[in-house]
Structure formats: structure tokens, C-alpha cells
Amino acid sequence: MNLTHIEHLGIAVKSIEESLPYYEQVLGLKCYSVEEVADQKVKTAFFKIGQTKIELLEPTSEESTIAKFIEKRGEGIHHIAFATDGVADALAEVESKGVRLIDKAPRKGAEGLNIAFLHPKSTGGVLTELCEDPNK
Ligand code: CO
């Protein structure tokens, strides 16, 4: 498997609006995109630092996995996403090595990326996302 860099860190927040001042005014990052991902019941806000993005995730419904995460563990780091040049191949490889998958096949995530999640029970408790930019 060829992981190229950390594509983004996903951070669960109760409110993007209330979180923005920290990222913009304290850290000096610039939010370049806010996007709702309806099928994940989240609103996302993106910042870029080097090759890596920070993705704030705000639940848009109590049914959202982000809402459940915040309820259980509070706001904070939710997942790490690695960039790869082939999510489907990477999934097949990690599954063959005994890793439990949340997504058996890639699906569409924010920013048009193909994404898939690995189960945190198989990754030392770190929810792990693999993603691929189909336009690269
Ligand atoms: Co993500």
C-alpha cells in the first residue's frame, strides 16, 4: 500500500461557527470551504496546513455518528485520514491482513474524494480513513 501523506485530521465539534475563532484568529488558518455532507449528517469546514487539511465536523442531526461521538467522548480528534493512490486496492490489502473494515468499498466523501473507513477495533482505537483524489 502506498500512503503518501496525512490528507486530513477530522475533528468533532459541536459548532463550526463557535470553533472558527480558534482556528482563524488564534492559529491564523483560513477556512476555505464549508460543505454539508448529507449522507453523513455532518457539516464540514476545511483548513489547509501544508499538504494536510483539518476537517471540522459538526453534526446536523442527533442521528449523526458525530453527534454520538461527542455525546460519548466530547469534542476532539475524531479520525485520521491517509492519502493513497488507490482506496479499493488499499482496502483489499488491509482486509487481507485481518483489519476490520467499516466500508467494504470506497464511497464519496467531502471534496469529491473517494473514501473508506477502517474499524477502530482493528487500528488501536484510532478511526482511520483512507482517501484518494479521483482527479489526480
Ligand atoms: Co475525513
Side-chain angles (χ1 to χ4, degrees), residues 13-22 43 45 56 58:
V13 299
K14 290 179 186 162
S15 160
I16 284 174
E17 197 188 334
E18 285 171 24
S19 305
L20 278 180
Y22 170 68
K43 194 163 110 182
L56 301 184
E58 174 191 316

Side-chain angles (χ1 to χ4, degrees), residues 6-136:
I6 295 175
E7 214 282 335
H8 63 270
L9 288 174
I11 298 176
V13 299
K14 290 179 186 162
S15 160
I16 284 174
E17 197 188 334
E18 285 171 24
S19 305
L20 278 180
Y22 170 68
Y23 289 94
E24 294 201 315
Q25 287 155 38
V26 180
L27 297 183
L29 302 174
K30 178 93 191 86
C31 175
Y32 68 87
S33 165
V34 175
E35 182 185 345
E36 193 164 332
V37 184
D39 70 328
Q40 288 173 56
K41 301 185 177 72
V42 292
K43 194 163 110 182
T44 60
F46 285 94
F47 306 84
K48 198 154 196 184
I49 174 156
Q51 281 199 94
T52 302
K53 297 164 196 158
I54 289 174
E55 175 187 44
L56 301 184
L57 299 152
E58 174 191 316
T60 54
S61 152
E62 283 173 19
E63 304 300 300
S64 163
T65 56
I66 299 300
K68 288 171 189 157
F69 176 92
I70 291 172
E71 199 174 296
K72 234 166 102 184
R73 299 171 65 170
E75 294 179 298
I77 293 183
H78 177 258
H79 66 273
I80 185 168
F82 296 110
T84 170
D85 38 26
V87 174
D89 289 348
L91 279 181
E93 184 178 338
V94 296
E95 192 173 32
S96 78
K97 290 176 175 168
V99 170
R100 234 169 98 188
L101 307 181
I102 292 176
D103 297 303
K104 295 273 180 197
R107 57 188 166 89
K108 279 282 173 225
E111 300 200 300
L113 299 180
N114 297 326
I115 66 159
F117 282 95
L118 313 183
H119 200 288
K121 285 228 158 78
S122 292
T123 59
V126 179
L127 179 61
T128 300
E129 176 182 351
L130 301 175
C131 50
E132 156 191 17
D133 186 343
N135 301 312
K136 266 187 190 158

